[in-house]
Amino acid sequence: MDKLTHVESGDKSPAYQHLETSGDVLTRHEERDLKRGLAQRHVSMIALAGAIGTGLFLSLGGSIATGGPLGSLLAYSFIGLIVCAVQFALGEVSALLPVTGSFVRHAEALSDPALGFALGWTIVYGTWLSIPSEISAICVLFGYWTDVNPSAWIMTFIVLTAIVAFSKIRYFGEIEFVSALLKILLIVGIILLGLITALGGVPGVPRVGFRYWRDPGPFVPYLADGSWGRFLGFWSVLINAVFSFSGIESIAMAAAEMRNPRVVIPKACKRVFARVALFYVLAVLVVGMIVPSNDPRLSEDSGTAATSPFVLATAAARVAAIPHIVNAVVITSAWSSGNQALLSGSRVLYSLALKGQAPRFFLRTTRWGTPWACAATYVLSSFLAFMALSASAITVFYWFVSLVGCGVLISWSCVLFNHLRLRMAFRKQGIDARRLPWHNAWTRELPICSSDASVLVRRCPLLLHHHPADQWLCRVHQGQLVRLGVYHCLLVSTARGGADYRDIGLVAAVFLGWKLIKKTRWVRLADIPLEEILSAMEALPEEKDERPRGAVRFISWLWD
């Protein structure tokens, strides 16, 4: 029997009737139909695999060319702090409410059912498009080695995606575990080789050190000269950093399929952030040391390992296999990203069906606990990858993708808002927050600061578009940043049809539509049944996972 509070149809208690409509505990469908196949190591490595993606392997060079080595390092570190806030906020809420759909269901339980509905369907829509996007990227990556018709690769990875979609959740966990290990081994190898090269450890290669930080310099002016231009260079890297970290918020999407989620989720959140931050900071530092920001190759984008900053950074070592290794790992990374999109999207769709916000057909599962009806819709959506073979079709496809272009920041903002609402409910009801299964005293004010930062970063594209008025606007004095932002928002939104606000407009329209139709009400803080949830949790504590034994313990620090 599951140790979490769950709802049976015959419960008459007012508190449990509220739980059944708020979505903050396992429903009997989750408890009966889903299987707990994800262990601690799976959850930690799924988070690592989601956070270390193709953005780091292929886009880092463009960031250094735009912002310089120090500008890029500061930008990635700044976004890393936001990621820390998101991880810890998500961990606190998910450890208390470990349900399918994670922060989507949390939004319904802690704020408004209409908000959960809007976020849920936005994520479902975005992940439907993510899988064919990743498959299209894989075709480009294989083009580095062969000129085989892309249709063959598209069909191959559609089949592989379908196999993963309908398999047991444990097999998905094992695939992501291996994928994350490959990424980590590549990053560690590149960092070590890069440091050896920079410090003169490669015969015939002079010591570089921090030479390129002096010439051409630690920052690159962007759109303007002087200190203002250097600031804009740093600012422009922020949005690249966001997409490099994207995926880290999906760690708890399948919480109802985890063993001991109230123990596993906090451990994964605490450990994953430290590892991701370490890998990112060192990778950005090493590439910035070895490759000058004015190297023209950094601005090239073949979509393969040929222009990967990791390959450029280790070119001096003259290891012929490195480009092929990087390309192979990036292929597994792209496939892993598609699989994660499938897992997140299918579980969110399942959670919407649980609450009557999607057809109940999507509640159907296999005997081994996979929601096959939800997974089938994602397998069908993967056939959109064939649109990449047509110039006109790919234009339409990426127009659809642009509708959720910055959905990552919307998801992060929602995670932080959920955490804020939960903490407010604890204070409103006079309950000690230390009763949470995972509690951090310093996170009390963190959601507010991080939400402000997310909103600020969300305006990056508006401030930095290559619009004819950019040069004029960027000559505005540095002290007029607010006025610059307002003018540029109006100008670019008018000129581009508000493209940068499509994702926000989509969420707002769906939220208002559902709220008007269903007449949903904002959840009062006093009505959130925290005492019932905490009492049930304390009555049935979860068991801690056993520590690894044998030779595995020497590498288990990666996930344990």
Side-chain angles (χ1 to χ4, degrees), residues 84-85 88 92 419 423 438-447:
C84 176
F88 279 61
E92 281 197 11
H419 180 262
R423 284 304 191 98
W438 185 41
H439 167 259
N440 296 280
W442 59 274
T443 60
R444 184 173 57 185
E445 310 300 335
L446 198 60

Side-chain angles (χ1 to χ4, degrees), residues 254-276:
E257 296 166 84
M258 297 176 186
R259 303 171 195 163
N260 302 323
R262 289 187 168 124
V263 173
V264 165
I265 292 174
K267 288 180 69 175
C269 289
K270 286 186 290 186
R271 287 156 176 76
V272 166
F273 169 73
R275 288 149 181 75
V276 168

Side-chain angles (χ1 to χ4, degrees), residues 67-126:
L70 182 55
S72 298
L73 187 62
L74 291 175
Y76 277 84
S77 299
F78 178 75
I79 297 300
L81 292 175
I82 298 179
V83 169
C84 176
V86 172
Q87 278 282 79
F88 279 61
L90 180 62
E92 281 197 11
V93 182
S94 297
L96 179 67
L97 309 173
V99 293
T100 306
S102 185
F103 59 89
V104 174
R105 293 266 293 284
H106 300 159
E108 179 181 354
L110 301 172
S111 300
D112 191 316
L115 181 58
F117 176 82
L119 287 168
W121 277 106
T122 302
I123 291 174
V124 168
Y125 169 79

